[in-house]
Every structure is written in C-alpha cells, then in structure tokens.
C-alpha cells in the first residue's frame, strides 16, 4: 500500500510546483512501501531510471570465510552469508604488507601474477566488499580492497593512493586537488578525489574524510563484534546515493512525492550540499508524480525490443548474459539526397539514442553496436566521434573501441549490479530465458517419437495429454495426422487437452482401446455438448474449433460468430481424438 499523501506539508516545500517537464535537469523520486523509483530528465527527456525494491548488496562490506581456493582459476570462493558463495579474484586481494606492495604501486598485470594459494587459505576470515552483484547463476564478486564513497572523496583503508577523478580536466585544478589530497589523507588510508571536488575548499574535503573515517571505525567495531559470515556495513539506499552522487549544481530541482523521504533528503542535503536545499521540492498533488511528468509512458517503452528513431530508423536491443547487441536499421528512413547521406544521418541519430538507452536501461558489460555499413572512412570517423562525445555525459565508466569497416563498435560499460531490465523483469517460465519456445509442431513430433519408443509396451492404444495448441497440431487438418499415425502404429490414439499443462509438457500412457473407450469416449452422434469456441492456432487455417471442459477437440462447421464464447454444439461425427460438430445455440453463460 502506498504511503499516505495527506500528511501536512513540511516547511520549505514548494507550494507552486508545476508538474511539467522543464528544459534543465530534473530528478523525480517516487516512493512507496515496496519500492523507490528515480527518474532523471534532461531537457524534458527521460535519460536515466533506477529502481530499488530490496536492500542493495553492492558496496556492502562483509566478514567472510574462505571456502575454496582454486589455483587453476587464480580465484577463491568466500562464504559471506548469501545464498551463493562470493567470487574473489587474485587481483582483488590486498597484499599483506601494504607499505611494500600497495595496489597503488602495482600494475594489474603484476597483481594477476601472484599465486592465490600463497595469499589466502581455506577457513581464513576476510573482510571483503561486494563490487558486482549477482547475475544469472553467478554469485557476487568481492574484493578485499575496500572503498567508502563520500560526497567529495572515496576513502580507501590500507592504501596509499591519492588520485583525482579523470573527469576533472583542468590541469591546475587537478594539481591543486592532488596537493590538498596529500595533505588531508589520514595515515594508513588512500583517497580518490571525486568530480564533485572541483572548486571545493580544503575544509570541505577534510570534513568529508573525517566522516568517512568514522564510518570505517564503525565497520571495524562491527567486524570485531560479529562472527563470520556476517554483513558489517550496508551501503546506502538508492535515494541517499542519488543525493550523494548526482545532486549537484547542474540539477535544477529534485522532486519527491513522499513527505517522510522529503524530510530525510532535506536533512542529508543540509550536511552534504546545504547550498542545494532550495532545489528539493515536495510533490503533493493527487495525480501520481510519474503520471504528471508523463514518465510512465516512457517506462512502458523501456522493455521494448525495438526502439524507433524520429527519422524512421530503429534500434533492436538484445540483452544477453554474455553481451548486449544493438542493431541499427534505416527502417522507414528513405532520405532525400543519397544513400550514403541517409545512412550517415541514421547512424548519427542512432548514436545519440544508443547513448540514451545505455544510461536509461543501465546496461553494462560488453556491448556490441552494429551501425549501418558506411563506405566512407570519413563517415565512420564522424559517427564514432559523435558517439564518443555523447558518451561523455554518462556517469558510468565506458571504453570505446574503433569502428570496423563493417560498422561494428565494441564498448565496455562498468557494471556493478543488475540492469533495469534485470531489476524489473524475471526469466520467462515458458522459454527459460531463451526468448523462443519449441513450436507446437515440434512438440507434437516429440510426442510422436516417444510413442514409437513405447510401441513395445503392452496394450493396443495410447492415451495422451498435452497443451491444447499441441493437441491441434498433433491431430492436423481434418485429423489427417493422427489417423495416419494410427494406421502406421496399428494402435488407437486418444489425445486430450490438459489446460493446466505447460506448452512443452505432455504425458503418454499405454492402454487398451476397450479401457480408453470406456473412460474417455462417452459421446454419441447428435449429442449436444457445451464447449469453448476458439479460432484455430494452425497456420493457414481459418477454421473455428471447440474444446469441451474435458479437453475433447471438436472441429466446428459453423461458429465464426461464437468465437471467444461458450456455445452448445451438436456432434455430427465422433473419432477417438476429435469430433465434428455444429453450433446450435450460445451457452446461457455467454448471453
């Protein structure tokens, strides 16, 4: 149940909030008891969407126990109290003596060359931090290199590194921040100065470091108290992280639709960004926040396989466990000058939309983009330059490869947890994530082959139950499939629909004609039955069919006007697996 909207308006809340998309950057926060949703609008266009429905595990710190050390994989599995053991790679293990072998002074290739069995052993207790969430059948990935992010700095215990965000490009500012960082870094710690540090004073940065030191002290105290495996520090909520990581001078306003969360954010902002408090506004109108800003309409298209471009071209997005593939097509775009010009314009427009979709769906890992083939090397350079420039607005770290002669671009985008698709969907129980299921003809042939395997069993008949669509495919038009099979097998075949069975599920039982006639053939000519009238699922078939409640298939002579309803049917012909009938009256239930 959603939280009440009748609470009194907190002090400082805007009384004249106009719920329409502005030209700047807006953060919309929708809160309920079961989830928190955050939408970022840029120039009125939805650019980012995040949802949190349960406690976040990425960023949390655990006291774990090493379960297995695998020298062949240069990795170990650590029990941290979750459903699956965590994966720890050798390069993510801090050396025991950070003064001599700090990761800040070791290249990643050197870290990989270390022998994991010389670093840790089964049964050893470790303090680890989750760096990647679970995905598919894989558990979380962890590291002993712990980092605590603040508003301006990231504090790294047991490190000596002082770094400055790459997004701060001004050389003099980078040098100033580096000197400040070296001055304020506590002994035994390293720090990274975040993008938000730009223009900040030494006092502001020092206060952030002091706060993070307190957090680390609390983590150590919790680790000392608790027995492994245990969580000793939970990362902050989605809303808090948004305020910490995204709420800056470039944001025009943050709109929150829950009074309690509004008060909390106002309090947090008073500490981390007091100059931005006036940009936080409470939304208290009757129309839901995301409806008022037309965000729900955009979210309905979020899971679509095909994304249309304004020019008429489109993207096809396939998110898979191994990688994400994005294909670009001209679609309805016909252009006005030349084919090369049409392709270039479509690719440039697609490059922008791909960048938007990466942020919006929060896709990560390896991403392959198949731009439309361009003959001109100059055109390929233009597209790649435009694509790279647009990616610069992305908060996540990305690496872009060269564009090939075939128009392929490979990029990697930092993944820490689930994409939006993974967060709000689940694996289809029918196709189990494949995206396709066997056709009804395929399943009917599986049944046929299994019947041949059972041909040596006692009896002179088979009784089959399966999904209604498979029944129809098995019987065939005018019963030709099932009757031919009866002739070849020299056995009676009785097939019935089981409306509770899954598409690929079926059951075959050997029996006798006498037994099956007695149990399943209580029909006679001219008998009136009630059935559900449906349209045939077979390709190139316009016939209308009926199903009795017991799963008996009836081919209807007339019944077009009764499709979708129950009707009374008079049987004209009766076979073991199907009958032929004529609709005489609508059922009283369908009137």
């Amino acid at each position: 149940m959603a939280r009440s909207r009748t609470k009194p308006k907190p002090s400082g809340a805007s009384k004249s909030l106009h719920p329409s998309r502005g030209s700047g950057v807006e953060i919309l926060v929708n809160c309920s008891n079961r989830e928190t949703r955050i939408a970022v609008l840029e120039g009125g266009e939805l650019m980012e969407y995040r949802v949190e429905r349960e406690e976040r595990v990425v960023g949390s710190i655990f006291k774990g126990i090493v379960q297995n050390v695998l020298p062949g994989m240069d990795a170990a599995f650590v029990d941290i109290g979750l459903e699956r053991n965590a994966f720890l790679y050798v390069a993510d293990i801090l050396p025991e003596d950070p003064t001599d072998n700090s990761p800040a002074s070791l290249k990643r290739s050197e870290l990989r060359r270390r022998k994991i069995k010389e670093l840790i052993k089964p049964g050893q207790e470790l303090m680890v931090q989750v760096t990647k969430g679970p995905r598919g059948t894989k558990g979380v990935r962890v590291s002993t290199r712990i980092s605590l992010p603040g508003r301006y700095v990231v504090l790294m215990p047991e490190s000596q590194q002082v770094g400055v965000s790459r997004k701060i490009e001004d050389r003099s500012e980078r040098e100033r921040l580096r000197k400040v960082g070296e001055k304020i870094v506590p002994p035994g710690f390293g720090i990274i100065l975040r993008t938000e540090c730009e223009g900040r004073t030494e006092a502001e940065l020092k206060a952030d470091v002091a706060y993070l030191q307190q957090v680390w002290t609390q983590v150590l105290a919790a680790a000392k108290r608790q027995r492994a495996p245990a969580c000793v520090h939970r990362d902050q909520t989605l809303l808090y992280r948004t305020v910490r990581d995204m709420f800056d001078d470039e944001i025009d306003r943050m709109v929150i639709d829950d009074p309690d969360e509004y008060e909390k954010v106002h309090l947090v902002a008073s500490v981390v960004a007091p100059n931005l408090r006036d940009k936080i506004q409470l939304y208290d109108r009757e129309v839901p926040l995301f409806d008022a800003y037309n965000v729900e309409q955009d979210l309905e298209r979020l899971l679509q396989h095909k994304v249309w471009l304004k020019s008429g071209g489109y993207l096809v997005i396939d998110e898979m466990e191994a990688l994400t593939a994005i294909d670009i097509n001209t679609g309805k775009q016909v252009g006005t000058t030349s084919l090369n010009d049409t392709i270039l314009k479509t690719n440039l427009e697609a490059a922008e939309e791909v960048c938007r979709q990466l942020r919006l769906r929060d896709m990560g890992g390896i991403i392959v983009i198949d731009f439309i083939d361009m003959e001109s090397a100059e055109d390929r350079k233009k597209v790649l330059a435009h694509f790279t420039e647009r990616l610069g607005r992305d908060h996540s770290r990305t690496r872009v490869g060269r564009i090939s002669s075939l128009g392929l671009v490979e990029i990697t985008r930092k993944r820490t947890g689930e994409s939006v698709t993974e967060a709000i969907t689940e694996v289809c129980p029918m196709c189990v994530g494949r995206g396709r299921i066997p056709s009804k003809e395929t399943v009917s042939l599986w049944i046929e082959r299994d019947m041949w395997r059972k041909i040596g069993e006692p009896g002179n008949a088979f009784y089959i139950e399966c999904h209604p669509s498979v029944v129809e495919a098995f019987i065939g038009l005018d019963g030709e499939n099932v009757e031919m099979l009866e002739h070849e097998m020299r056995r009676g075949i009785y097939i019935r629909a089981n409306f509770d069975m899954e598409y690929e599920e079926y059951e075959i039982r050997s029996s006798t004609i006498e037994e099956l006639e007695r149990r399943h053939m209580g029909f006679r000519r001219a008998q009136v039955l009630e059935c559900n009238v449906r349209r045939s699922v077979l390709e190139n078939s316009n016939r209308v069919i009926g199903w009795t409640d017991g799963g008996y298939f009836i081919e209807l002579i007339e019944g077009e006007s009764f499709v979708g309803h129950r009707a009374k049917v008079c049987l004209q012909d009766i076979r073991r697996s199907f009958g032929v009938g004529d609709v005489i009256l609508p059922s009283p239930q369908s009137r």
Side-chain angles (χ1 to χ4, degrees), residues 186-203:
F189 289 87
I191 60 171
I192 295 176
L193 299 154
R194 307 182 73 180
T195 311
E196 275 298 303
C197 284
E198 196 166 9
R200 300 298 173 182
T201 65
E202 179 181 328

Side-chain angles (χ1 to χ4, degrees), residues 4 228 271 293 394 437 457 487 560 574:
S4 170
V271 177
Y293 282 81
D394 196 343
I437 59 175
E457 294 181 359
H487 176 73
E560 183 73 30
I574 302 169

